[in-house]
Amino acid sequence: MEKHMRFIAAALAMLGLLACESKDKPKDSVPPAPTEEEQVKTVSTEQETALLWEFGDKVTTNFEQSSQALLNAIKAFLDEPTAETLGSARTNWNNAHASYQHLFLINQFSRVEPSLFGAMARAQFALAAHPIQPGYLDYFDVYPYSGLVHDMSVELNEELLRQQHGLTDAADVVLGLYAIEFMLFGESGARPLSDYQAVLELSQADKEKGFVDTTETPNNRRRLLLQRQAELLVEDAKQASQDWRAIREQWQQLSYNVQRRTVHKAFEQGLTQVLLQTASASESEGPAHSRSAQDLSVAIRSLEAAHYWLPQYLREEQLKLLQEAAEALELANKAEDEKTVWRQTYKDLKMAMDLTRGI
Amino acid sequence: MSLALFDLDNTLIAGDSDHLWGEFLIEQGLVDDKAYKRTNDQFYQDYVDGSLDIRAYLRFALEPLTRFTFPQLSALHERFFASRIAPIMLPKAAELIDRHRRLGDELVIITATNKFITAPIANKLGIAHLLASEGEIVNQRYTGEPVGIPCFKEGKVERLFQWIQEQQQSIEGSHFYSDSANDIPLLEAVSYPVAVDPDERLRSVAQERDWPVISLR
């Protein structure tokens, strides 16, 4: 105890000495270099948090709206299954999928700080679980009677669908964008319209298969499953927006250093992912390749929302590299030499990554 | 039109789908791992030794199927195929099948492994006819009981001749490809027996009888 008191006294004396030294300095002496913390702040910490949360609010709200538009289009398609209404549902799926890519940055938080952002991780699994196992949902490849569509023992209500989602394996995907994608586009984008024709009366063949009610037929179960999936997507998108807003209060209780470290980690994690995806997407070709370019571009743009939190001396360069990479990818499919675009994008992102490592 | 008959496990694929299915169930946590693995391994050893009690084995293999609906089983099989079977598909087997197809032969897989496991694999190989051991199905679910003649040893011969009669085919000019000494009865029955990457017992019989020995590995 005595030893402890002596240490405190010595520390206080040291602080006093430093204080005296500071007082004794001449007024015209060169001011000390700003600490790193001081360098970072050109907007206040409150503003930094506000900007980040505004960004999150905006992207989650937009996604809510695009999910609602998808649900409306799916309802219209189920009311009247035609090539046009199916086309519109697919277009709305593409829009919702593009809108989801804007959540890229905020999704990184749940990876680097799962205790605080756990709700966002759950939202990610509900909204965009991937990869999916198509046979868990419907017929696929050499499995003509596979999945929930054909499994009459599972009632297609919210409770059971949520229970089935990820039941025994992460690939047991029932909900979210990618499950809906398979229901709308089918295998290799070739889902026939006839899959969604409502069965109003049981045929002799249906009766021979053992169906006693039209609700048991695969077409009607498929219709119901798709509608439920779209409804739950909207519900989960709303929940994600609310969760994001709710986390803000806890976030503000963290020290500024912890907040900054968390944003840096999320930024670095996101950057690593886009870098790896750029490397892998640049190897493929075709429509998936073009979609990858657009998705990556949006993901990169979402990272820009974290730039306020980077040290000021890096911001400008970091932002420039990210913008260059995003712009190049937006135009990638129109470029004469696409490979060069991908290579340049990779270089920009790699440079951004190297800068980040120095933080 | 001649018949081209193929055993499946360790002949057209580089492993035993029945045994792998057991391992898959263990990996998925769907069966008690230690006890199931011990029994699964023992049955496989019995099969290799030629002492397998096929009905006892079929009951063991069919029991887990009773717990699931058909659509659930299909989804499980899809995952099983991707993780366990796709990696052991043999390009040379595909070439051999194709060669017989081009000759206009009727292609048939004839296997002791149950139909649930083997039907999608036969489909993937593009072979429409499958003679396999069967499990009883009541109200769209497996009961766990084998049904009919198990497609094993002499049972394979019996099942084939039943099928030949139904389909009005002929054994004349037929080929049969197999890796296992358990298939000697059927190899003896066809016009052109071929040992494929054979086990020790079949290799020595093939050498004695001057049957061709090939490798698809």
Side-chain angles (χ1 to χ4, degrees):
Chain A
M1 183 67 178
E2 197 186 329
K3 207 169 160 186
H4 185 59
M5 291 300 289
R6 271 208 303 273
F7 172 76
I8 292 174
L12 286 170
M14 183 82 81
L15 280 173
L17 191 63
L18 286 172
C20 290
E21 268 181 14
S22 174
K23 262 187 223 163
D24 293 345
K25 268 187 183 164
K27 281 178 184 172
D28 58 350
S29 69
V30 180
T35 64
E36 195 187 334
E37 193 165 316
E38 282 163 341
Q39 276 183 345
V40 171
K41 292 182 199 167
T42 51
V43 291
S44 71
T45 57
E46 289 77 14
Q47 280 172 309
E48 281 172 341
T49 289
L51 286 166
L52 184 60
W53 251 262
E54 272 167 30
F55 169 77
D57 278 351
K58 195 177 92 183
V59 294
T60 53
T61 306
N62 285 348
F63 181 62
E64 243 183 274
Q65 288 164 357
S66 61
S67 303
Q68 183 62 53
L70 174 60
L71 171 61
N72 296 344
I74 284 176
K75 279 181 175 168
F77 165 57
L78 294 175
D79 281 347
E80 200 179 335
T82 63
E84 287 71 29
T85 53
L86 177 59
S88 160
R90 286 175 175 172
T91 304
N92 275 281
W93 183 88
N94 282 326
N95 293 344
H97 180 256
S99 167
Y100 182 76
Q101 305 312 310
H102 290 272
L103 275 71
F104 182 76
L105 172 66
I106 68 169
N107 281 339
Q108 304 311 311
F109 283 89
S110 58
R111 293 173 193 217
V112 299
E113 202 54 65
S115 55
L116 182 57
F117 292 92
M120 298 312 290
R122 285 191 290 280
Q124 254 176 284
F125 188 61
L127 296 174
H130 195 261
I132 71 159
Q133 189 195 339
Y136 197 65
L137 291 166
D138 201 352
Y139 71 86
F140 175 72
D141 196 19
V142 293
Y143 307 97
Y145 305 109
S146 190
L148 291 174
V149 164
H150 295 90
D151 194 348
M152 287 186 282
S153 69
V154 181
E155 203 185 319
L156 300 173
N157 59 34
E158 175 178 348
E159 190 192 345
L160 287 179
L161 290 180
R162 289 202 183 281
Q163 203 182 79
Q164 294 284 326
H165 186 56
L167 184 65
T168 63
D169 190 277
D172 291 347
V173 175
V174 177
L175 303 177
L177 282 168
Y178 297 102
I180 295 175
E181 179 187 30
F182 177 66
M183 297 303 291
L184 280 176
F185 293 82
E187 225 171 323
S188 349
R191 169 85 68 190
L193 207 51
S194 54
D195 277 3
Y196 284 100
Q197 296 296 346
V199 175
L200 305 173
E201 204 177 322
L202 288 181
S203 65
Q204 191 53 39
D206 288 332
K207 286 175 190 163
E208 278 164 17
K209 282 179 195 159
F211 298 128
V212 292
D213 192 281
T214 54
T215 57
E216 294 176 342
T217 59
N219 270 28
N220 287 0
R221 283 182 62 84
R222 190 174 289 116
R223 289 166 58 83
L224 183 58
L225 177 59
L226 178 60
Q227 175 153 345
R228 291 268 181 274
Q229 287 172 315
E231 286 165 355
L232 293 175
L233 184 75
V234 172
E235 201 173 287
D236 291 333
K238 278 186 187 151
Q239 188 61 48
S241 295
Q242 285 168 18
D243 289 341
W244 174 254
R245 286 182 203 117
I247 293 167
R248 183 173 181 167
E249 202 177 309
Q250 288 163 275
W251 172 262
Q252 280 170 324
Q253 285 165 15
L254 301 177
S255 74
Y256 177 71
N257 275 341
V258 172
Q259 289 179 346
R260 195 183 53 162
R261 212 167 37 242
T262 306
V263 178
H264 287 177
K265 278 201 276 180
F267 181 81
E268 194 174 347
Q269 161 80 23
L271 202 50
T272 308
Q273 268 201 54
V274 290
L275 191 66
L276 291 172
Q277 285 173 26
T278 304
S280 131
S282 58
E283 299 302 316
S284 63
E285 283 176 13
H289 181 252
S290 158
R291 192 166 97 184
S292 299
Q294 298 312 309
D295 290 353
L296 275 173
S297 160
V298 175
I300 293 165
R301 289 223 181 269
S302 86
L303 291 178
E304 291 169 15
H307 88 279
Y308 296 105
W309 296 77
L310 303 178
Q312 199 175 10
Y313 65 94
L314 283 181
R315 273 184 211 163
E316 205 179 320
E317 198 175 350
Q318 196 66 282
L319 199 57
K320 189 166 152 267
L321 288 167
L322 293 180
Q323 281 170 351
E324 265 177 24
E327 277 164 23
L329 287 177
E330 275 158 21
L331 300 170
N333 55 348
K334 291 177 193 149
E336 274 181 29
D337 183 3
E338 218 177 312
K339 288 243 178 244
T340 310
V341 173
W342 281 101
R343 270 198 294 274
Q344 186 54 46
T345 305
Y346 181 84
K347 270 187 198 165
D348 286 342
L349 292 173
K350 178 76 173 61
M351 216 182 287
M353 187 75 196
D354 292 343
L355 284 176
T356 308
R357 284 211 186 95
I359 298 173
Chain B
M1 188 188 291
S2 305
L3 295 177
L5 309 164
F6 304 92
D7 171 52
L8 178 66
D9 298 313
N10 283 311
T11 301
L12 293 181
I13 57 176
D16 186 287
S17 61
D18 230 353
H19 190 248
L20 289 171
W21 169 254
E23 288 186 347
F24 172 77
L25 292 176
I26 294 166
E27 177 196 275
Q28 297 288 311
L30 298 171
V31 290
D32 172 43
D33 58 349
K34 280 185 190 148
Y36 198 89
K37 182 170 175 20
R38 209 170 35 243
T39 317
N40 196 35
D41 289 350
Q42 184 56 53
F43 275 126
Y44 184 63
Q45 196 49 51
D46 292 349
Y47 173 82
V48 172
D49 297 345
S51 61
L52 179 69
D53 175 348
I54 185 69
R55 284 199 173 268
Y57 177 64
L58 283 172
R59 279 195 191 93
F60 168 77
L62 291 167
E63 192 282 327
L65 307 187
T66 64
R67 305 176 205 171
F68 304 97
T69 61
F70 276 2
Q72 287 169 338
L73 285 172
S74 285
L76 268 181
H77 195 291
E78 184 195 345
R79 206 183 299 159
F80 163 67
F81 187 92
S83 65
R84 298 286 182 149
I85 301 299
I88 57 167
M89 298 288 268
L90 297 166
K92 283 187 183 173
E95 284 168 23
L96 175 68
I97 293 167
D98 204 39
R99 206 154 55 235
H100 279 283
R101 188 178 285 117
R102 284 200 306 271
L103 288 168
D105 293 342
E106 195 74 75
L107 311 179
V108 182
I109 286 179
I110 183 155
T111 172
T113 302
N114 71 66
K115 202 170 192 172
F116 160 71
I117 293 175
T118 52
I121 305 175
N123 259 323
K124 283 275 190 184
L125 290 167
I127 297 183
H129 302 296
L130 169 70
L131 299 177
S133 297
E134 309 252 1
E136 184 187 42
I137 296 166
V138 174
N139 291 333
Q140 300 290 308
R141 279 188 103 115
Y142 281 102
T143 65
E145 281 299 310
V147 69
I149 302 163
C151 207
F152 182 61
K153 290 189 170 175
E154 286 78 9
K156 270 195 183 180
V157 182
E158 221 172 316
R159 289 282 305 275
L160 178 68
F161 277 97
Q162 269 180 5
W163 182 82
I164 282 177
Q165 205 173 7
E166 286 161 17
Q167 302 281 320
Q168 299 178 327
Q169 300 276 351
S170 163
I171 194 83
E172 287 307 311
S174 57
H175 286 75
F176 178 42
Y177 296 87
S178 175
D179 72 298
S180 170
N182 289 311
D183 283 334
I184 289 172
L186 184 54
L187 285 162
E188 287 171 338
V190 298
S191 309
Y192 303 105
V194 182
V196 181
D197 302 298
D199 59 29
E200 278 179 36
R201 285 190 297 138
L202 178 58
R203 185 177 290 278
S204 67
V205 170
Q207 277 165 357
E208 267 171 35
R209 305 191 189 180
D210 216 13
W211 291 345
V213 176
I214 65 166
S215 175
L216 297 177
R217 305 293 168 102

